[in-house]
């Protein structure tokens, strides 16, 4: 359809712009990775190796267009450069090592909080004016609580005071990563507090937004007309109200899924969880610009892909978009 084709072309252009900005910004900044690496090593680098190191970071005397084409070729091969803080470890290896932890933790909890929050929001909208409205002040409070504050409280109560859960890390130190019951159990055990933190701090927002949107939709003329026709209440609530009310939440959910790749930085930092957010925090601390550049690129592309998926879902949820095509 024309609608989807326009969207795909738009996001391809946005992705190209993100790649280009990722190429230009480091080259417009003062200094370069090689100088920073030499400074870190107190000048203990063989001058003969300097040119090879500079070339590994894409710093050459070639014209900018040639460098740009080499940069795109490197990206096509999955080459994001070399880390400064962990030189000469490739940035791609560091990113791929952090991604599974973030996707496993933040991705799973984002889906859980969205499903629970959306379903509860619809129920609260159907029961507006009843005792269930007493939940709204508590939900509003939870929606205003910052992630890091919730994480600190949970760590203090359940890890420090009660000792029920570990304070940090993704698994018990000394264990060999693998699909063994001991390792998997340790990963799940260490993920409990970070997961609860993210779910509690995010699901309230889904509840409130879905409830408010559903209440608005229930007051629309076409819902009143459906009630006047005597259609079953279940059909009115699901097919007329909930289906239309969830459209804005789909966009928010897509953005949340895109942000999953970036991780919940403060939560990961508090729990020393080795995800993308914690890796980005360490990269900033270490002034590891190639690693930051690679992480920002991956996060940007993830957000773009998530928005494209949201537009595809819109086509199936909202017939009006198909008519535009």
């Amino acid at each position: 359809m024309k609608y989807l084709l326009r969207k795909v072309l738009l996001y391809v252009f946005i992705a190209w712009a993100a790649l280009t900005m990722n190429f230009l910004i480091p080259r417009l900044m003062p200094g370069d990775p090689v100088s920073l690496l030499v400074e870190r090593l107190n000048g203990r680098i063989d001058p003969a190796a300097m040119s090879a190191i500079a070339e590994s970071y894409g710093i050459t005397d070639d014209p900018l267009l040639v460098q740009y084409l080499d940069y795109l070729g490197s990206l096509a091969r999955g080459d994001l450069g070399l880390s400064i803080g962990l030189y000469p470890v490739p940035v791609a290896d560091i990113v791929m090592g952090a991604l599974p932890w973030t996707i496993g933790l933040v991705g799973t909890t984002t889906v859980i909080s969205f499903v629970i929050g959306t379903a509860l929001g619809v129920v609260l909208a159907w029961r507006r004016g009843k005792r269930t409205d007493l939940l709204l002040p508590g939900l509003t409070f939870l929606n205003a609580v910052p992630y890091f504050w919730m994480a600190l409280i949970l760590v203090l109560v359940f890890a420090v005071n009660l000792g029920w859960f570990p304070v940090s890390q993704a698994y018990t130190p000394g264990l060999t990563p693998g699909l063994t019951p001991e390792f998997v159990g340790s990963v799940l055990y260490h993920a409990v507090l970070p997961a609860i933190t993210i779910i509690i701090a995010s699901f309230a927002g889904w509840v409130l937004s879905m409830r408010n949107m559903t209440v608005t939709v229930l007051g629309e003329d076409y819902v009143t007309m459906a009630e006047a026709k005597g259609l079953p209440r279940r059909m009115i609530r699901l097919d007329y109200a909930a289906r239309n009310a969830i459209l804005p939440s789909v966009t928010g959910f897509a953005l949340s899924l895109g942000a999953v790749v970036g991780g919940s930085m403060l939560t990961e930092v508090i729990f020393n969880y080795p995800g993308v957010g914690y890796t980005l925090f360490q990269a900033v601390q270490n002034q590891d610009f190639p690693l930051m550049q690679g992480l920002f690129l991956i996060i940007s592309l993830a957000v773009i892909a998530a928005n494209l998926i949201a537009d595809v879902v819109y086509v199936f949820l909202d017939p009006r978009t198909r008519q535009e095509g």
Side-chain angles (χ1 to χ4, degrees):
M1 290 187 292
K2 292 182 179 179
Y3 172 80
L4 280 181
L5 181 60
R6 288 197 302 267
K7 288 295 183 180
V8 170
L9 293 176
L10 173 63
Y11 287 122
V12 167
F13 172 77
I14 295 174
W16 169 79
L19 293 175
T20 303
M21 292 298 295
N22 202 50
F23 166 78
L24 290 175
I25 289 177
R27 287 162 175 80
L28 296 176
M29 294 173 60
D32 58 76
V34 179
S35 301
L36 184 59
L37 185 60
V38 172
E39 182 181 343
R40 291 274 179 87
L41 298 176
N42 297 320
R44 297 191 304 271
I45 295 181
D46 186 351
M50 291 287 291
S51 59
I53 295 175
E55 187 175 351
S56 68
Y57 283 109
I59 302 173
T60 65
D61 295 328
D62 294 334
L64 194 63
L65 179 60
V66 175
Q67 295 183 42
Y68 182 62
L69 294 177
D70 290 340
Y71 163 78
L72 293 179
S74 298
L75 289 182
R77 297 190 301 270
D79 183 4
L80 299 177
L82 302 177
S83 168
I84 293 177
L86 299 173
Y87 183 84
V89 179
V91 168
D93 291 352
I94 300 174
V95 174
M96 293 307 296
L99 270 177
W101 295 106
T102 290
I103 294 175
L105 174 65
V106 186
T108 302
T109 52
T110 298
V111 173
I112 292 174
S113 62
F114 174 76
V115 172
I116 295 176
T118 302
L120 183 57
V122 171
V123 172
L124 292 181
W126 291 343
R127 298 179 58 83
R128 65 190 184 281
K130 298 183 179 180
R131 290 185 178 181
T132 50
D133 285 351
L134 295 175
L135 297 173
L136 296 180
L139 291 170
T140 303
F141 171 76
L142 288 177
N143 188 44
V145 172
Y147 277 41
F148 71 90
W149 189 83
M150 181 67 66
L152 290 173
I153 293 297
L154 291 177
V155 168
L156 177 64
V157 174
F158 295 103
V160 177
N161 291 340
L162 297 177
W164 291 354
F165 298 100
V167 177
S168 62
Q169 303 299 329
Y171 57 90
T172 303
L175 289 180
T176 302
L179 295 178
T180 61
E182 184 181 10
F183 180 76
V184 173
S186 179
V187 168
L188 295 176
Y189 179 54
H190 281 72
V192 170
L193 281 187
I196 293 176
T197 298
I198 297 173
I199 291 175
I200 291 179
S202 61
F203 97 100
W206 296 118
V207 175
L208 294 174
S209 62
M210 190 62 187
R211 177 193 179 276
N212 295 339
M213 195 63 201
T214 304
V215 169
T216 301
V217 171
L218 286 173
E220 295 289 342
D221 293 337
Y222 61 84
V223 175
T224 304
M225 179 65 70
E227 292 174 342
K229 289 181 178 180
L231 295 178
R233 178 173 295 183
R234 179 183 177 84
M235 178 183 295
I236 295 174
R237 288 178 171 180
L238 294 178
D239 295 345
Y240 284 77
R243 182 174 180 176
N244 288 281
I246 201 174
L247 292 177
S249 294
V250 169
T251 301
F253 181 58
L255 292 174
S256 297
L257 285 180
V260 162
V261 176
S264 181
M265 180 182 291
L266 291 176
T267 301
E268 290 186 357
V269 169
I270 290 173
F271 289 98
N272 288 329
Y273 202 82
V276 173
Y278 182 67
T279 303
L280 180 58
F281 174 75
Q282 288 185 314
V284 173
Q285 278 192 320
N286 296 328
Q287 294 183 313
D288 195 338
F289 296 110
L291 181 54
M292 285 189 281
Q293 184 182 4
L295 290 170
F296 286 141
L297 177 61
I298 296 299
I299 294 170
S300 300
L301 294 179
V303 172
I304 293 170
N307 277 274
L308 176 59
I309 293 173
D311 284 328
V312 173
V313 173
Y314 251 83
V315 171
F316 296 97
L317 291 179
D318 191 349
R320 293 171 294 184
T321 57
R322 295 195 289 271
Q323 295 173 3
E324 291 178 12

